[in-house]
Amino acid sequence: MAIERIGNFIDGAWVPPTTGEYAPNVNPADTNDVLAEAPLSGSDDAKAAFDAAERAFPSWRATPPPKRARYIARAFTILTSRLDEVARAMCREEGKVLSEAKGEVQKGLNLLEFYAGEGFRLHGKTLPSEMARTLTYTLREPVGPVALVSPWNFPFAIPVWKSAPALVAGCPVVLKPAQLTPLSAKLMADAYQEAGLPRGVFNLVYGRGSTVGRLLVDDERARAVSFTGSNEIGIDIYTRAARRGARVTCEMGGKNPVVVLDDADLDLAVEGIVAGAFGSTGQRCTATSRLIVTGGIHDALVERLKSRARALKVGNGLEPGVEMGPAVDQVQLAQDLAAIEQAQGDGAKLETGGRRLTEGALQRGFFVEPTVFTQVTPGSALAQEEVFGPVLAVLKAGSFDEALALANNVRYGLASSIYTRSANAAMRFIEGSEVGMVHVNQATVGGEAQLPFGGVKKTGVGEKEMAEEGLNFFTHLKTVFFDYTGSRRETNIY
Ligand code: NAP
Ligand code: MG
């Protein structure tokens, strides 16, 4: 059977790339399974997409926000009927297990539902003026065409959470999804097309980040850039876009801690840590990668985690019963194994895992064991650098204060969690944790459409995503002064 070739979606139509080049979309659980081929686009494709977005802007901006949002509502209905299809495609191209893929599609649907509603609420403020009979208020206006760049680890939800608010705000979109996961974004684009979005309002260009991604981000017409991915690339994009005065938001890496105090509910903590560290093969920006435990509960918790990690069923996420899928590709697998090797070299104690899995069908995928290290030193690479794999670093703390200091002792600041029965300790942790999102007695992972999502320190720059903030990012405020005396001659001295 011939392999399906995906096109770019530009100016309302699926078109082949001008380069004629494609890359295969491979299942990381089984490299014999090639899902499709996606374009390796070039500069002409990037330019054509922004030409279309630029042409579409005047009439899209003139379309009332509730009407713009109705297209998103239609896409929600279309995709609701395809939840299974999208989840299966995602499972095959990214490797996450089917239940997680379904969860991600559901999250994307929640975001579509939320932003469809926001079209009715795109509001400024009416504020009093110093001057009598003067109406002063703010209007929210779209910034213009925008460039969106997304990673492979949430190949459906992130394209949704960037594009839906941009569209509702009135900004034509050019999206470049990660080359490793083209199909999930295509299924979203199909829904936008079927929802009847006017041509040029939504454009999708595939290709390498280093070539076409860079061109899109650098296009003078991209008035805002929204990026999710690694720190190194995000900061580069931030710098370049700042130089030409574009608005930028970058959501980047994490090194998220869970603190467990002696008084914690052990069962609850084990569940949350296993889900946070090994769910999605550790390939979540909010994954739990550090566990900081006080002395009284340390050994019991480590024992429980070891046996849970050993019992996890690793394999192809489409198979029933499988609990953890593969690394997304050869490069990520090598990164996981290198981090494991370095941790051993740095003197950490390998409690379980640590090896690539190659038995039987697993040899055709990029599988690594769920891995736990104890005796990790705070300054070592495993305690400081994002692995983006199923590798948990356990650090021991002597007190709450030491645990909090260790939790904050990284350059990242995305999510954190504490397990304790003490309201006092929980409140002090909420106050002191240097993150964008803090959890109490639950895993570090997860987010909801209506709640702002994003990090501080080296994790995030710009506006929070999702929620109302995610919409506001794509707008600027226009301040209006309307003197309705019609005859006042003196000028406001302020
Ligand atoms: P990545 O390598 O930084 O890539 C992200 C996207 O940027 C991809 O589409 C990539 O294209 C593109 N890109 C690469 N170089 C570029 C350039 N010079 N100009 C413009 N675009 C460029 O990240 P990843 O490996 O896909 O994702 C993993 C990272 O994302 C982790 O660090 C994770 O923590 C982070 N993440 C953060 C959040 C958050 O909300 N904080 C959420 C999810 C993931 P190609 O790869 O297709 O070539
Ligand atoms: Mg990458």
Side-chain angles (χ1 to χ4, degrees), residues 9-256:
F9 188 69
I10 297 175
D11 207 15
W14 291 98
V15 290
T18 55
T19 56
E21 288 175 36
Y22 293 82
N25 180 14
V26 177
N27 183 343
D30 179 357
T31 51
N32 288 348
D33 179 23
V34 178
L35 288 84
E37 288 188 332
L40 290 172
S41 309
S43 56
D44 288 345
D45 306 300
K47 182 175 176 302
F50 265 109
D51 288 347
E54 192 181 29
R55 278 194 304 271
F57 183 46
S59 62
W60 188 239
R61 116 182 227 146
T63 305
K67 294 213 164 91
R68 295 198 292 249
R70 225 157 258 140
Y71 294 100
I72 303 299
R74 256 176 250 147
F76 166 79
T77 307
I78 293 164
L79 284 161
T80 299
S81 71
R82 295 183 192 159
L83 192 151
D84 263 34
E85 181 196 340
V86 181
R88 280 176 187 282
M90 186 196 302
C91 183
R92 274 175 72 201
E93 72 173 354
E94 201 269 355
K96 61 181 66 181
V97 302
L98 191 57
S99 58
E100 288 169 337
K102 284 184 182 170
E104 178 178 342
V105 181
Q106 186 56 55
K107 180 169 185 178
L109 291 171
N110 296 350
L111 284 151
L112 289 168
E113 193 176 28
F114 175 77
Y115 282 118
E118 283 295 277
F120 294 91
R121 295 185 288 265
L122 193 65
H123 61 87
K125 281 182 187 164
T126 307
L127 294 155
S129 168
E130 295 267 9
M131 311 283 279
R133 294 198 170 153
T134 302
L135 176 62
T136 44
Y137 63 99
T138 58
L139 289 172
R140 282 210 175 268
E141 298 191 335
V143 294
V146 296
L148 312 179
V149 180
S150 57
W152 48 263
N153 69 328
F154 284 99
F156 180 75
I158 295 181
V160 169
W161 90 46
K162 291 185 187 300
S163 64
L167 293 170
V168 170
C171 300
V173 164
V174 180
L175 166 70
K176 194 212 85 68
Q179 196 63 22
L180 283 173
T181 52
L183 208 52
S184 302
K186 184 204 183 296
L187 294 169
M188 177 191 81
D190 282 341
Y192 283 156
Q193 182 183 23
E194 287 168 45
L197 268 182
R199 57 191 281 191
V201 164
F202 175 81
N203 306 276
L204 175 59
V205 181
Y206 292 106
R208 292 200 180 92
S210 52
T211 56
V212 77
R214 197 182 170 106
L215 288 168
L216 293 173
V217 163
D218 287 348
D219 195 300
E220 280 294 329
R221 295 167 294 181
R223 295 317 308 146
V225 176
S226 179
F227 167 86
T228 299
S230 61
N231 193 268
E232 191 191 4
I233 290 164
I235 292 301
D236 181 48
I237 287 174
Y238 188 42
T239 315
R240 293 206 314 271
R243 230 176 267 134
R244 62 180 183 81
R247 182 177 291 196
V248 188
T249 192
C250 292
E251 285 299 338
M252 301 170 284
K255 192 72 199 170
N256 312 298

Side-chain angles (χ1 to χ4, degrees), residues 158-413:
I158 295 181
V160 169
W161 90 46
K162 291 185 187 300
S163 64
L167 293 170
V168 170
C171 300
V173 164
V174 180
L175 166 70
K176 194 212 85 68
Q179 196 63 22
L180 283 173
T181 52
L183 208 52
S184 302
K186 184 204 183 296
L187 294 169
M188 177 191 81
D190 282 341
Y192 283 156
Q193 182 183 23
E194 287 168 45
L197 268 182
R199 57 191 281 191
V201 164
F202 175 81
N203 306 276
L204 175 59
V205 181
Y206 292 106
R208 292 200 180 92
S210 52
T211 56
V212 77
R214 197 182 170 106
L215 288 168
L216 293 173
V217 163
D218 287 348
D219 195 300
E220 280 294 329
R221 295 167 294 181
R223 295 317 308 146
V225 176
S226 179
F227 167 86
T228 299
S230 61
N231 193 268
E232 191 191 4
I233 290 164
I235 292 301
D236 181 48
I237 287 174
Y238 188 42
T239 315
R240 293 206 314 271
R243 230 176 267 134
R244 62 180 183 81
R247 182 177 291 196
V248 188
T249 192
C250 292
E251 285 299 338
M252 301 170 284
K255 192 72 199 170
N256 312 298
V258 165
V259 168
V260 182
L261 300 183
D262 284 355
D263 73 344
D265 179 329
L266 190 58
D267 293 334
L268 200 64
V270 169
E271 287 312 311
I273 295 160
V274 168
F278 306 126
S280 299
T281 321
Q283 300 174 138
R284 297 168 98 140
C285 52
T286 52
T288 303
S289 60
R290 293 181 298 145
L291 170 60
I292 300 161
V293 200
T294 46
I297 200 171
H298 178 277
D299 294 355
L301 182 54
V302 169
E303 277 315 307
R304 294 279 296 276
L305 286 173
K306 268 162 68 173
S307 59
R308 283 297 304 274
R310 282 190 190 133
L312 282 177
K313 187 161 182 225
V314 181
N316 187 327
L318 279 175
E319 285 165 20
V322 168
E323 295 167 290
M324 192 181 98
V328 75
D329 68 353
Q330 181 75 52
V331 176
Q332 184 61 54
L333 173 69
Q335 190 172 313
D336 296 353
L337 296 174
I340 290 166
E341 198 182 317
Q342 174 159 9
Q344 284 173 296
D346 288 344
K349 183 175 174 213
L350 179 65
E351 296 282 357
T352 184
R355 291 173 310 135
R356 180 177 182 176
L357 289 164
T358 51
E359 289 137 46
L362 296 186
Q363 67 187 319
R364 297 202 303 273
F366 307 115
F367 296 96
V368 58
E369 291 176 316
T371 299
V372 178
F373 280 102
T374 54
Q375 298 174 24
V376 176
T377 32
S380 66
L382 191 65
Q384 293 293 328
E385 306 300 332
E386 183 179 54
V387 178
F388 227 53
V391 184
L392 181 67
V394 184
L395 294 92
K396 205 186 234 181
S399 64
F400 170 86
D401 288 329
E402 194 191 338
L404 177 62
L406 281 170
N408 288 339
N409 179 32
V410 287
R411 61 197 173 112
Y412 296 115

